[in-house]
Amino acid sequence: LDDNMQRLNNGATAARNAIGGILLPILTDLSSEGVSLLNEFTTAILDTDGDVNQLGAVIDEMVPRVLA
């Protein structure tokens, strides 16, 4: 049983590493874009000076971009 559990663990580790290698560039791009969008969103929120209408417009503009 222990031998099989070790093989299973090794196989899972290899699969995780393979998937990570494939997804790493995609996740790196997403995280970079996320930081950029977050900075843009924060700046836009601060620029509204508490105006609820402008705040709504910022959210309306940013949400589709984040989801895309």
Side-chain angles (χ1 to χ4, degrees):
L1 177 62
D2 184 57
D3 290 345
N4 284 340
M5 294 301 294
Q6 287 180 25
R7 282 192 287 271
L8 181 61
N9 187 43
N10 290 341
T13 298
R16 183 184 67 228
N17 290 342
I19 291 170
I22 291 168
L23 293 179
L24 185 61
I26 295 167
L27 294 174
T28 300
D29 289 345
L30 285 174
S31 65
S32 295
E33 184 65 24
V35 169
S36 175
L37 283 171
L38 184 57
N39 287 338
E40 188 177 334
F41 180 70
T42 301
T43 300
I45 293 294
L46 292 172
D47 288 346
T48 67
D49 290 326
D51 183 324
V52 175
N53 291 325
Q54 287 181 359
L55 182 61
V58 167
I59 292 171
D60 283 346
E61 177 190 343
M62 293 302 292
V63 168
R65 292 176 57 199
V66 169
L67 294 176

